[in-house]
Amino acid sequence: MLNNLLSPRLNALVNEHVPVLLLRLGAGILILTHGLPKVMKVLQGDMAFGDPIGLGPGFSLVLSALAEGIGGLLVVLGLGTRIASIFLIINMAVAFFFFHAADPFGAKELPLFFLIAFITIFLTGGGKYSLDNKLFNEQA
């Protein structure tokens, strides 16, 4: 058992696809908790929002709602995972580097954590337990 705990192999204790699934589900569900309220704001016509890169508050809100709401759902499903994660990476980079630029690090660490998580998801893809694998895996 101790050898398994100290092993550098990814699958020493668990199937190598499970960590990818857990990261995808965890990051996707958590970003949805930020995205769904933004989607509701857009649907209600309340376009008040920050404008960190000069695109206009309404357009910035729509982009953020799409990235976090729709992109988060796609990441959870593992459907178009890499494409969805690109939008989430951009969204979190804007949040970290622009929106929270003048804030103390404690206010920036959540966007930074999401940024790192979505970069990792982009690099790993949806994994074995994803709709991407079911729909687009060409192996028999």
Side-chain angles (χ1 to χ4, degrees):
M1 178 67 166
L2 184 58
N3 285 341
N4 282 339
L5 290 173
L6 298 174
S7 174
R9 293 180 317 157
L10 180 61
N11 61 355
L13 292 175
V14 68
N15 177 311
E16 63 192 48
H17 302 285
V18 171
V20 174
L21 174 66
L22 290 175
L23 177 63
R24 194 171 45 82
L25 290 176
I29 290 168
L30 289 173
I31 201 67
L32 275 171
T33 67
H34 296 274
L36 292 179
K38 290 178 180 124
V39 169
M40 294 309 297
K41 275 182 63 116
V42 170
L43 294 176
Q44 293 167 356
D46 177 6
M47 304 307 268
F49 195 68
D51 187 20
I53 57 175
L55 299 175
F59 191 59
S60 293
L61 174 61
V62 169
L63 290 177
S64 186
L66 288 173
E68 295 176 14
I70 306 303
L73 180 61
L74 291 173
V75 166
V76 168
L77 296 173
L79 180 61
T81 307
R82 284 195 169 107
I83 296 167
S85 65
I86 290 170
F87 293 102
L88 286 158
I89 289 166
I90 293 167
N91 190 56
M92 290 299 108
V94 168
F96 180 76
F97 291 108
F98 295 96
F99 189 78
H100 291 289
D103 293 346
F105 186 74
K108 297 180 189 188
E109 61 188 349
L110 186 59
L112 178 60
F113 187 78
F114 275 128
L115 178 61
I116 293 166
F118 290 120
I119 289 171
T120 304
I121 291 168
F122 173 78
L123 295 173
T124 62
K128 181 178 178 181
Y129 306 117
S130 68
L131 288 176
D132 288 339
N133 184 55
K134 289 270 188 216
L135 298 172
F136 306 114
N137 189 356
E138 296 176 9
Q139 297 176 350

